[in-house]
Amino acid sequence: MSKFTQKTVFSIFILFSTFGKIAAQNNDTIQIQETKQDSIVELNTETNHLNYKRLIIPTALIGYGVASLSVKGIKQLNFSTRDEINEHKPDHIRLDNYTQFAPAALVYGLNAFGVEGKHNFRDRSIIYGTSMLITSAFVVPLKHMVKEERPDQSNNLSFPSGHTAIAFASAQFMFREYKDTNFWLGISGYSLAVFTGVYRMLNDKHWVGDVVGGAGFGILSTELAYWLYPKINHLIGGKNQNSATMVMPFYQNKSVGIGFVKTF
């Protein structure tokens, strides 16, 4: 890999890693007020805020991705990066099909071995399932509306990168679960997300703008999932807060599926 490609990969890694450091300075956006009680009435008030500071970086990434579709200078970077990669003819490996889910898998694995995150199995499953659903709601329609041709000319579903969106949604999920108890563990998922995005380009499946935009949509999806969680939990919880059923549709590699989670 040439110095140009190495610098490009390193720059992308620094850009995405910065998000974790900035986000760590903000308090958790989901706040639950304690029940207050007096002699007349009992109140149970739940406040739920979406901190605008958490939206700055995903909005910037999405903006860059959209700009890469039409802004001449940014679009030219797509072509020059692809030409640089093709000069070195890297091996097309398919690990990115698996690393996109790796941060989320780590969350469940670590919890199974006693390294607990912020939420229990039921709650984090609701949050992650919601994040995947929102990611699909962003990515799938946009691919068919934008109709950008892939670098390998295999189809016109290049923007945004679905693999990268899922990878960064998963990495953001890992960050939010561990940022308060183990910051460095929390940000470790971003390295897997960056790997996924870089290999989407090395495999000649996506342009730089597709990957950057996909990262933005993934991070945004998870932030929205955490914001929506109290509302969804209230809707599906009912009277029995210890039992819930969740159906999680997903779209990947032209395949549609449904995940089912039942907790008691």
Side-chain angles (χ1 to χ4, degrees), residues 41-63:
V41 65
E42 181 176 313
L43 298 176
N44 186 0
T45 305
E46 183 182 81
T47 58
N48 183 26
H49 302 292
L50 184 63
N51 192 330
Y52 77 91
K53 292 181 180 179
R54 293 187 181 279
L55 305 182
I56 294 175
I57 287 182
T59 300
L61 296 176
I62 293 170

Side-chain angles (χ1 to χ4, degrees), residues 140-151:
V140 176
L142 279 172
K143 282 180 175 291
H144 291 275
M145 288 189 294
V146 175
K147 296 181 179 180
E148 182 189 37
E149 188 176 43
R150 292 185 186 272

Side-chain angles (χ1 to χ4, degrees), residues 107-117 178:
V107 172
Y108 285 91
L110 288 167
N111 274 265
F113 283 99
V115 185
E116 297 182 356
Y178 287 105

Side-chain angles (χ1 to χ4, degrees), residues 21 45-46 65 154 170 261:
K21 296 181 180 179
T45 305
E46 183 182 81
S154 58
S170 299
V261 176

Side-chain angles (χ1 to χ4, degrees), residues 13 24 41 43 47 58 82 88 95 166 187-189 197 219 222 234:
F13 178 80
V41 65
L43 298 176
T47 58
R82 183 212 179 192
H88 299 277
L95 282 177
I166 291 174
I187 66 173
S188 63
I219 294 171
T222 296
H234 177 73

Side-chain angles (χ1 to χ4, degrees), residues 18-146:
T18 301
F19 177 77
K21 296 181 180 179
I22 293 176
Q25 299 172 0
N26 301 318
N27 293 327
D28 191 5
T29 60
I30 299 174
Q31 302 173 351
I32 308 297
Q33 291 185 351
E34 294 183 357
T35 301
K36 296 182 179 180
Q37 184 174 353
D38 58 28
S39 59
I40 300 176
V41 65
E42 181 176 313
L43 298 176
N44 186 0
T45 305
E46 183 182 81
T47 58
N48 183 26
H49 302 292
L50 184 63
N51 192 330
Y52 77 91
K53 292 181 180 179
R54 293 187 181 279
L55 305 182
I56 294 175
I57 287 182
T59 300
L61 296 176
I62 293 170
Y64 179 94
V66 172
S68 71
L69 297 172
S70 57
V71 177
K72 184 176 180 181
I74 300 177
K75 195 169 185 177
Q76 183 58 41
L77 180 62
N78 284 342
F79 293 109
S80 61
T81 302
R82 183 212 179 192
D83 291 342
E84 178 70 17
I85 290 172
N86 286 345
E87 282 183 11
H88 299 277
K89 298 180 179 179
D91 294 332
H92 290 183
I93 63 174
R94 298 303 179 190
L95 282 177
D96 47 357
N97 290 332
Y98 308 99
T99 56
Q100 60 182 322
F101 299 107
L106 280 173
V107 172
Y108 285 91
L110 288 167
N111 274 265
F113 283 99
V115 185
E116 297 182 356
K118 181 174 293 185
H119 295 91
N120 59 30
F121 177 84
R122 171 188 178 274
D123 295 341
R124 67 175 175 268
S125 295
I126 293 172
I127 293 169
Y128 186 63
T130 302
S131 174
M132 292 295 98
L133 182 59
I134 295 173
T135 301
S136 297
F138 279 138
V139 171
V140 176
L142 279 172
K143 282 180 175 291
H144 291 275
M145 288 189 294
V146 175

